[in-house]
Amino acid sequence: MHHPVPRPQPLPSSVAPRAELAPLLTPSLAAVVSGARRRAFRDGDRQIDTAHLLHSLVESDPEVGAAFEGGHQLARVLGYLAQRSIGYGLRWQRVEEQSADRRLLPAARTAESPGARTSPWSPAAAAALEGAFRRAAERGEPQARGLDLLAAVAADPESRAFEVLRRAGVEPAALTARVAALPAALDEEPSQQV
């Protein structure tokens, strides 16, 4: 019996974002998460980490740029992130990113059970997503925005994003304060599924 050769899938399901996150993300943040997923896959990383999220945020979310002191800071951050695969981030390969905030998304907790596949999120990235969801809920919004995620990754001193920010000359506490000071009345986005 002849069996056709299966076509390669563009992304393994273990790296795809969980469908349960879709209702919690604005369309622009959903695009950021998808970009981080693609970056992790392209880099050959087992999990999406906070540096993947930061890279995608800086590249694709226009609101995030307003939180930095200027184009020079964004350029430095992107410069460090671009070096990930050619030297700067090589020490991160095959090492799971931890978090100062040990709470995990329910999907990540489930994935940690014996016999379950590895979570697509590093513990720090999962904690950052939960932090972004909490920030949105505190404002009474059902969906997290890119700025919520930026504040969350900048607040975790054990995350790779925090390290990138510090090396790029961005003080994470000052960045978080600037995010909090930005007008809350930024253009609202309609809900959209990932």
Side-chain angles (χ1 to χ4, degrees), residues 27-49:
S28 63
L29 187 53
V32 165
V33 169
S34 292
R37 178 195 66 219
R38 285 188 302 273
R39 186 169 301 287
F41 179 69
R42 188 189 66 228
D43 291 348
D45 294 329
R46 284 185 16 235
Q47 294 179 315
I48 302 165
D49 66 26

PDB file of all heavy atoms in Angstrom, residues 27-49:
ATOM      1  N   PRO A  27      -6.337  42.891  18.312  1.00  0.00           N
ATOM      2  CA  PRO A  27      -5.764  42.428  17.042  1.00  0.00           C
ATOM      3  C   PRO A  27      -4.267  42.739  16.911  1.00  0.00           C
ATOM      4  O   PRO A  27      -3.510  41.904  16.419  1.00  0.00           O
ATOM      5  CB  PRO A  27      -6.582  43.173  15.989  1.00  0.00           C
ATOM      6  CG  PRO A  27      -7.913  43.376  16.650  1.00  0.00           C
ATOM      7  CD  PRO A  27      -7.580  43.655  18.094  1.00  0.00           C
ATOM      8  N   SER A  28      -3.834  43.910  17.362  1.00  0.00           N
ATOM      9  CA  SER A  28      -2.403  44.224  17.237  1.00  0.00           C
ATOM     10  C   SER A  28      -1.568  43.340  18.154  1.00  0.00           C
ATOM     11  O   SER A  28      -0.470  42.915  17.778  1.00  0.00           O
ATOM     12  CB  SER A  28      -2.129  45.706  17.499  1.00  0.00           C
ATOM     13  OG  SER A  28      -2.462  46.059  18.817  1.00  0.00           O
ATOM     14  N   LEU A  29      -2.059  43.021  19.361  1.00  0.00           N
ATOM     15  CA  LEU A  29      -1.304  42.134  20.242  1.00  0.00           C
ATOM     16  C   LEU A  29      -1.336  40.697  19.718  1.00  0.00           C
ATOM     17  O   LEU A  29      -0.358  39.970  19.853  1.00  0.00           O
ATOM     18  CB  LEU A  29      -1.816  42.202  21.679  1.00  0.00           C
ATOM     19  CG  LEU A  29      -0.985  41.427  22.703  1.00  0.00           C
ATOM     20  CD1 LEU A  29       0.493  41.806  22.653  1.00  0.00           C
ATOM     21  CD2 LEU A  29      -1.534  41.630  24.104  1.00  0.00           C
ATOM     22  N   ALA A  30      -2.425  40.294  19.096  1.00  0.00           N
ATOM     23  CA  ALA A  30      -2.471  38.966  18.471  1.00  0.00           C
ATOM     24  C   ALA A  30      -1.410  38.867  17.385  1.00  0.00           C
ATOM     25  O   ALA A  30      -0.740  37.836  17.248  1.00  0.00           O
ATOM     26  CB  ALA A  30      -3.862  38.696  17.892  1.00  0.00           C
ATOM     27  N   ALA A  31      -1.217  39.947  16.617  1.00  0.00           N
ATOM     28  CA  ALA A  31      -0.175  39.964  15.586  1.00  0.00           C
ATOM     29  C   ALA A  31       1.216  39.881  16.218  1.00  0.00           C
ATOM     30  O   ALA A  31       2.107  39.211  15.698  1.00  0.00           O
ATOM     31  CB  ALA A  31      -0.296  41.212  14.726  1.00  0.00           C
ATOM     32  N   VAL A  32       1.397  40.533  17.364  1.00  0.00           N
ATOM     33  CA  VAL A  32       2.675  40.475  18.086  1.00  0.00           C
ATOM     34  C   VAL A  32       2.958  39.046  18.535  1.00  0.00           C
ATOM     35  O   VAL A  32       4.063  38.530  18.348  1.00  0.00           O
ATOM     36  CB  VAL A  32       2.665  41.444  19.297  1.00  0.00           C
ATOM     37  CG1 VAL A  32       3.801  41.139  20.262  1.00  0.00           C
ATOM     38  CG2 VAL A  32       2.737  42.890  18.823  1.00  0.00           C
ATOM     39  N   VAL A  33       1.954  38.387  19.111  1.00  0.00           N
ATOM     40  CA  VAL A  33       2.128  37.004  19.582  1.00  0.00           C
ATOM     41  C   VAL A  33       2.447  36.083  18.409  1.00  0.00           C
ATOM     42  O   VAL A  33       3.340  35.231  18.502  1.00  0.00           O
ATOM     43  CB  VAL A  33       0.882  36.546  20.369  1.00  0.00           C
ATOM     44  CG1 VAL A  33       0.919  35.052  20.641  1.00  0.00           C
ATOM     45  CG2 VAL A  33       0.782  37.318  21.679  1.00  0.00           C
ATOM     46  N   SER A  34       1.753  36.264  17.294  1.00  0.00           N
ATOM     47  CA  SER A  34       2.042  35.451  16.106  1.00  0.00           C
ATOM     48  C   SER A  34       3.462  35.698  15.604  1.00  0.00           C
ATOM     49  O   SER A  34       4.159  34.763  15.216  1.00  0.00           O
ATOM     50  CB  SER A  34       1.037  35.755  14.991  1.00  0.00           C
ATOM     51  OG  SER A  34      -0.235  35.306  15.362  1.00  0.00           O
ATOM     52  N   GLY A  35       3.893  36.953  15.610  1.00  0.00           N
ATOM     53  CA  GLY A  35       5.258  37.283  15.199  1.00  0.00           C
ATOM     54  C   GLY A  35       6.293  36.658  16.116  1.00  0.00           C
ATOM     55  O   GLY A  35       7.326  36.158  15.662  1.00  0.00           O
ATOM     56  N   ALA A  36       6.030  36.674  17.418  1.00  0.00           N
ATOM     57  CA  ALA A  36       6.955  36.056  18.380  1.00  0.00           C
ATOM     58  C   ALA A  36       7.022  34.548  18.164  1.00  0.00           C
ATOM     59  O   ALA A  36       8.092  33.941  18.237  1.00  0.00           O
ATOM     60  CB  ALA A  36       6.516  36.381  19.804  1.00  0.00           C
ATOM     61  N   ARG A  37       5.868  33.934  17.875  1.00  0.00           N
ATOM     62  CA  ARG A  37       5.822  32.492  17.600  1.00  0.00           C
ATOM     63  C   ARG A  37       6.673  32.163  16.377  1.00  0.00           C
ATOM     64  O   ARG A  37       7.477  31.234  16.391  1.00  0.00           O
ATOM     65  CB  ARG A  37       4.372  32.059  17.379  1.00  0.00           C
ATOM     66  CG  ARG A  37       4.221  30.583  17.026  1.00  0.00           C
ATOM     67  CD  ARG A  37       2.847  30.274  16.476  1.00  0.00           C
ATOM     68  NE  ARG A  37       2.690  30.953  15.209  1.00  0.00           N
ATOM     69  CZ  ARG A  37       1.579  31.541  14.796  1.00  0.00           C
ATOM     70  NH1 ARG A  37       0.509  31.558  15.544  1.00  0.00           N
ATOM     71  NH2 ARG A  37       1.524  32.138  13.628  1.00  0.00           N
ATOM     72  N   ARG A  38       6.505  32.945  15.307  1.00  0.00           N
ATOM     73  CA  ARG A  38       7.299  32.701  14.084  1.00  0.00           C
ATOM     74  C   ARG A  38       8.791  32.901  14.356  1.00  0.00           C
ATOM     75  O   ARG A  38       9.624  32.136  13.874  1.00  0.00           O
ATOM     76  CB  ARG A  38       6.838  33.631  12.962  1.00  0.00           C
ATOM     77  CG  ARG A  38       5.525  33.230  12.346  1.00  0.00           C
ATOM     78  CD  ARG A  38       5.194  34.049  11.107  1.00  0.00           C
ATOM     79  NE  ARG A  38       5.134  35.474  11.362  1.00  0.00           N
ATOM     80  CZ  ARG A  38       4.051  36.118  11.780  1.00  0.00           C
ATOM     81  NH1 ARG A  38       2.940  35.446  12.022  1.00  0.00           N
ATOM     82  NH2 ARG A  38       4.080  37.419  11.975  1.00  0.00           N
ATOM     83  N   ARG A  39       9.126  33.915  15.131  1.00  0.00           N
ATOM     84  CA  ARG A  39      10.529  34.188  15.439  1.00  0.00           C
ATOM     85  C   ARG A  39      11.137  33.019  16.234  1.00  0.00           C
ATOM     86  O   ARG A  39      12.240  32.582  15.962  1.00  0.00           O
ATOM     87  CB  ARG A  39      10.641  35.490  16.232  1.00  0.00           C
ATOM     88  CG  ARG A  39      12.057  35.946  16.471  1.00  0.00           C
ATOM     89  CD  ARG A  39      12.091  37.352  17.018  1.00  0.00           C
ATOM     90  NE  ARG A  39      11.470  38.319  16.138  1.00  0.00           N
ATOM     91  CZ  ARG A  39      11.997  38.758  14.999  1.00  0.00           C
ATOM     92  NH1 ARG A  39      13.148  38.305  14.604  1.00  0.00           N
ATOM     93  NH2 ARG A  39      11.359  39.641  14.273  1.00  0.00           N
ATOM     94  N   ALA A  40      10.411  32.512  17.211  1.00  0.00           N
ATOM     95  CA  ALA A  40      10.899  31.380  18.007  1.00  0.00           C
ATOM     96  C   ALA A  40      11.123  30.158  17.123  1.00  0.00           C
ATOM     97  O   ALA A  40      12.146  29.477  17.226  1.00  0.00           O
ATOM     98  CB  ALA A  40       9.916  31.053  19.134  1.00  0.00           C
ATOM     99  N   PHE A  41      10.167  29.899  16.239  1.00  0.00           N
ATOM    100  CA  PHE A  41      10.291  28.752  15.340  1.00  0.00           C
ATOM    101  C   PHE A  41      11.479  28.920  14.405  1.00  0.00           C
ATOM    102  O   PHE A  41      12.285  28.009  14.229  1.00  0.00           O
ATOM    103  CB  PHE A  41       8.988  28.582  14.544  1.00  0.00           C
ATOM    104  CG  PHE A  41       9.038  27.438  13.569  1.00  0.00           C
ATOM    105  CD1 PHE A  41       9.075  26.127  14.020  1.00  0.00           C
ATOM    106  CD2 PHE A  41       9.049  27.674  12.208  1.00  0.00           C
ATOM    107  CE1 PHE A  41       9.131  25.067  13.124  1.00  0.00           C
ATOM    108  CE2 PHE A  41       9.096  26.632  11.304  1.00  0.00           C
ATOM    109  CZ  PHE A  41       9.134  25.326  11.764  1.00  0.00           C
ATOM    110  N   ARG A  42      11.606  30.106  13.818  1.00  0.00           N
ATOM    111  CA  ARG A  42      12.711  30.375  12.889  1.00  0.00           C
ATOM    112  C   ARG A  42      14.069  30.264  13.587  1.00  0.00           C
ATOM    113  O   ARG A  42      15.043  29.783  13.024  1.00  0.00           O
ATOM    114  CB  ARG A  42      12.555  31.766  12.266  1.00  0.00           C
ATOM    115  CG  ARG A  42      13.555  32.011  11.154  1.00  0.00           C
ATOM    116  CD  ARG A  42      13.568  33.437  10.680  1.00  0.00           C
ATOM    117  NE  ARG A  42      14.048  34.288  11.745  1.00  0.00           N
ATOM    118  CZ  ARG A  42      13.464  35.415  12.134  1.00  0.00           C
ATOM    119  NH1 ARG A  42      12.381  35.834  11.560  1.00  0.00           N
ATOM    120  NH2 ARG A  42      13.969  36.124  13.111  1.00  0.00           N
ATOM    121  N   ASP A  43      14.127  30.718  14.846  1.00  0.00           N
ATOM    122  CA  ASP A  43      15.385  30.653  15.601  1.00  0.00           C
ATOM    123  C   ASP A  43      15.687  29.254  16.125  1.00  0.00           C
ATOM    124  O   ASP A  43      16.750  29.027  16.695  1.00  0.00           O
ATOM    125  CB  ASP A  43      15.348  31.629  16.785  1.00  0.00           C
ATOM    126  CG  ASP A  43      15.369  33.091  16.357  1.00  0.00           C
ATOM    127  OD1 ASP A  43      15.645  33.376  15.168  1.00  0.00           O
ATOM    128  OD2 ASP A  43      15.111  33.955  17.218  1.00  0.00           O
ATOM    129  N   GLY A  44      14.741  28.334  15.976  1.00  0.00           N
ATOM    130  CA  GLY A  44      14.938  26.968  16.454  1.00  0.00           C
ATOM    131  C   GLY A  44      14.777  26.835  17.953  1.00  0.00           C
ATOM    132  O   GLY A  44      15.261  25.881  18.556  1.00  0.00           O
ATOM    133  N   ASP A  45      14.069  27.779  18.568  1.00  0.00           N
ATOM    134  CA  ASP A  45      13.866  27.735  20.018  1.00  0.00           C
ATOM    135  C   ASP A  45      12.654  26.877  20.346  1.00  0.00           C
ATOM    136  O   ASP A  45      11.665  26.859  19.621  1.00  0.00           O
ATOM    137  CB  ASP A  45      13.666  29.152  20.564  1.00  0.00           C
ATOM    138  CG  ASP A  45      14.918  30.001  20.412  1.00  0.00           C
ATOM    139  OD1 ASP A  45      16.027  29.437  20.470  1.00  0.00           O
ATOM    140  OD2 ASP A  45      14.787  31.224  20.239  1.00  0.00           O
ATOM    141  N   ARG A  46      12.738  26.161  21.462  1.00  0.00           N
ATOM    142  CA  ARG A  46      11.646  25.293  21.893  1.00  0.00           C
ATOM    143  C   ARG A  46      10.445  26.086  22.383  1.00  0.00           C
ATOM    144  O   ARG A  46       9.322  25.612  22.334  1.00  0.00           O
ATOM    145  CB  ARG A  46      12.103  24.393  23.046  1.00  0.00           C
ATOM    146  CG  ARG A  46      12.966  23.240  22.658  1.00  0.00           C
ATOM    147  CD  ARG A  46      13.269  22.326  23.854  1.00  0.00           C
ATOM    148  NE  ARG A  46      12.389  22.552  24.981  1.00  0.00           N
ATOM    149  CZ  ARG A  46      12.803  22.828  26.216  1.00  0.00           C
ATOM    150  NH1 ARG A  46      14.064  22.921  26.496  1.00  0.00           N
ATOM    151  NH2 ARG A  46      11.941  23.012  27.182  1.00  0.00           N
ATOM    152  N   GLN A  47      10.706  27.268  22.939  1.00  0.00           N
ATOM    153  CA  GLN A  47       9.636  28.041  23.534  1.00  0.00           C
ATOM    154  C   GLN A  47       9.703  29.502  23.097  1.00  0.00           C
ATOM    155  O   GLN A  47      10.764  30.021  22.759  1.00  0.00           O
ATOM    156  CB  GLN A  47       9.739  27.992  25.062  1.00  0.00           C
ATOM    157  CG  GLN A  47       9.499  26.620  25.640  1.00  0.00           C
ATOM    158  CD  GLN A  47       9.624  26.624  27.145  1.00  0.00           C
ATOM    159  OE1 GLN A  47      10.543  27.201  27.703  1.00  0.00           O
ATOM    160  NE2 GLN A  47       8.686  25.967  27.816  1.00  0.00           N
ATOM    161  N   ILE A  48       8.560  30.160  23.165  1.00  0.00           N
ATOM    162  CA  ILE A  48       8.487  31.606  22.948  1.00  0.00           C
ATOM    163  C   ILE A  48       8.910  32.239  24.267  1.00  0.00           C
ATOM    164  O   ILE A  48       8.350  31.926  25.315  1.00  0.00           O
ATOM    165  CB  ILE A  48       7.051  32.034  22.597  1.00  0.00           C
ATOM    166  CG1 ILE A  48       6.554  31.308  21.352  1.00  0.00           C
ATOM    167  CG2 ILE A  48       6.978  33.551  22.420  1.00  0.00           C
ATOM    168  CD1 ILE A  48       5.055  31.393  21.143  1.00  0.00           C
ATOM    169  N   ASP A  49       9.923  33.109  24.216  1.00  0.00           N
ATOM    170  CA  ASP A  49      10.374  33.758  25.441  1.00  0.00           C
ATOM    171  C   ASP A  49      10.084  35.253  25.388  1.00  0.00           C
ATOM    172  O   ASP A  49       9.554  35.769  24.409  1.00  0.00           O
ATOM    173  CB  ASP A  49      11.847  33.441  25.731  1.00  0.00           C
ATOM    174  CG  ASP A  49      12.816  34.016  24.715  1.00  0.00           C
ATOM    175  OD1 ASP A  49      12.498  35.036  24.055  1.00  0.00           O
ATOM    176  OD2 ASP A  49      13.929  33.475  24.588  1.00  0.00           O
TER     177      ASP A  49
END
